[in-house]
């Protein structure tokens, strides 16, 4: 039997990258999946390819998060899996970081993750699984990524406290922290040959990860085979953080 048979999953930022790959894997394993995204064209295209439904939602917007939760409650009542995946990357030195850049990253990556979790707690079935997408950047302290890395460190702390607060209901909360993965977001940070080579040199396995590899780890944590795992962070970075 598929490991997610009859489970209902919500994936934020599920229209591309790791979110999309995870939604695809969830569906393959028998789950009913709802994805979210900020770009209507990308969300519609992903829903068509996946054969699933989607809802427009901006994770940095509390009103959108509440509206999303209300719609999920209307359609499904309760859910079994919540993947808080939506995130953005922006880089600048500490000296040149603007308040706008700081707020943009923190509003999506931490504030959005925090309030998505907070708002969805009443919709989680007992023994549900929550997975937050973090990053190896929280460990390797990359230059020019102070705000991004800080946002992911905050996510890791949120994950641990949520695991303790929700343990009485059997709800498991974990984080997955990818290193460099070949996704659309890698192009958005201005990846060129020089930067790509520098990144590859920092990875002992000398390659970028694949979204499907991260998705398989996320899917394992979402399923009942991981029923004794909570409050844990899983690095999947080709040895980069070592």
């Amino acid at each position: 039997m598929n490991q997610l048979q009859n489970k209902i999953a919500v994936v934020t930022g599920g229209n591309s990258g790791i979110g999309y790959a995870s939604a695809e894997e969830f569906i393959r394993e028998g789950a009913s999946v709802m994805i979210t995204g900020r770009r209507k064209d990308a969300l519609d295209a992903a829903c068509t390819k996946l054969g699933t439904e989607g809802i427009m939602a901006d994770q940095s917007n509390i009103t959108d998060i509440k509206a999303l939760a209300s719609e999920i409650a209307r359609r499904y009542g309760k859910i079994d899996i919540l993947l808080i995946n939506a995130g953005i990357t922006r880089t600048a030195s500490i000296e040149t970081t603007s308040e706008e850049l700081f707020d943009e990253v923190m509003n999506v990556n931490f504030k959005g993750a925090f309030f998505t979790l907070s708002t969805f707690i009443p919709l989680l079935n007992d023994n549900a699984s929550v997975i937050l997408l973090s990053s190896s950047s929280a460990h390797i302290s990359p230059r020019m990524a102070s705000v991004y890395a800080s946002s992911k460190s905050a996510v890791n702390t949120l994950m641990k406290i949520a695991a303790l607060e929700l343990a009485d209901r059997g709800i498991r909360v974990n984080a997955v922290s990818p290193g460099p993965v070949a996704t659309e977001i890698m192009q958005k940070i201005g990846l060129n040959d020089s930067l790509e080579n520098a990144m590859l040199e920092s990875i002992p396995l000398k390659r970028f990860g694949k979204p499907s590899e991260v998705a398989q780890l996320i899917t394992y944590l979402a399923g009942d085979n991981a029923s004794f795992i909570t409050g844990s962070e899983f690095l999947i970075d080709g040895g980069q953080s070592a």
Side-chain angles (χ1 to χ4, degrees):
M1 185 171 115
N2 293 336
Q3 60 178 318
L4 303 183
Q5 197 69 42
N6 301 320
K7 293 187 183 293
I8 297 170
V10 172
V11 179
T12 69
N15 56 270
S16 64
I18 291 168
Y20 179 91
S22 298
E24 190 172 42
E25 192 69 20
F26 287 173
I27 292 167
R28 188 177 294 119
E29 289 296 332
S32 298
V33 178
M34 171 72 71
I35 65 172
T36 78
R38 295 193 294 179
R39 295 174 293 144
K40 187 177 189 307
D41 55 342
L43 183 63
D44 289 346
C47 288
T48 299
K49 288 173 69 177
L50 290 168
T52 192
E53 295 183 281
I55 298 175
M56 286 279 291
D58 179 350
Q59 191 172 299
S60 69
N61 186 306
I62 304 299
T63 301
D64 275 18
I65 292 170
K66 290 180 177 178
L68 171 65
S70 295
E71 183 61 17
I72 294 295
R74 185 187 72 78
R75 295 192 194 192
Y76 298 109
K78 300 241 179 174
I79 66 172
D80 305 291
I81 301 162
L82 175 62
L83 172 57
I84 301 176
N85 163 80
I88 60 171
T89 304
R90 300 287 184 270
T91 57
S93 69
I94 295 171
E95 183 179 4
T96 61
T97 293
S98 65
E99 182 180 4
E100 289 75 18
L101 184 150
F102 184 97
D103 288 345
E104 182 183 13
V105 173
M106 283 295 185
N107 283 346
V108 176
N109 291 2
F110 181 55
K111 181 182 175 182
F114 185 99
F115 283 102
T116 298
L117 174 59
S118 171
T119 305
F120 270 81
I121 286 173
L123 302 185
L124 296 172
N125 278 317
D126 289 353
N127 305 310
S129 176
V130 178
I131 302 106
L132 294 111
L133 199 78
S134 185
S135 170
S136 65
S137 293
H139 298 273
I140 62 174
S141 305
R143 295 184 183 192
M144 309 293 287
S146 59
V147 182
Y148 176 76
S150 296
S151 73
K152 294 304 187 178
S153 294
V155 163
N156 290 341
T157 300
L158 170 64
M159 173 273 293
K160 291 180 181 180
I161 295 172
L164 298 178
E165 291 187 0
L166 299 176
D168 287 348
R169 292 179 54 198
I171 295 171
R172 300 177 296 104
V173 187
N174 295 291
V176 170
S177 294
V181 174
T183 64
E184 182 180 319
I185 201 168
M186 292 288 282
Q187 303 308 318
K188 289 182 178 178
I189 65 172
L191 192 65
N192 54 38
D193 288 345
S194 175
L195 180 56
E196 181 174 351
N197 289 335
M199 293 178 76
L200 287 171
E201 281 300 311
S202 76
I203 305 168
L205 291 183
K206 294 292 185 281
R207 69 172 178 87
F208 292 149
K210 301 173 185 175
S212 60
E213 292 173 316
V214 183
Q216 287 164 19
L217 174 57
I218 289 169
T219 301
Y220 174 75
L221 292 172
D224 295 337
N225 289 338
S227 60
F228 198 55
I229 301 175
T230 194
S232 296
E233 179 196 2
F234 293 83
L235 283 152
I236 177 165
D237 66 353
Q240 186 187 49
S241 58

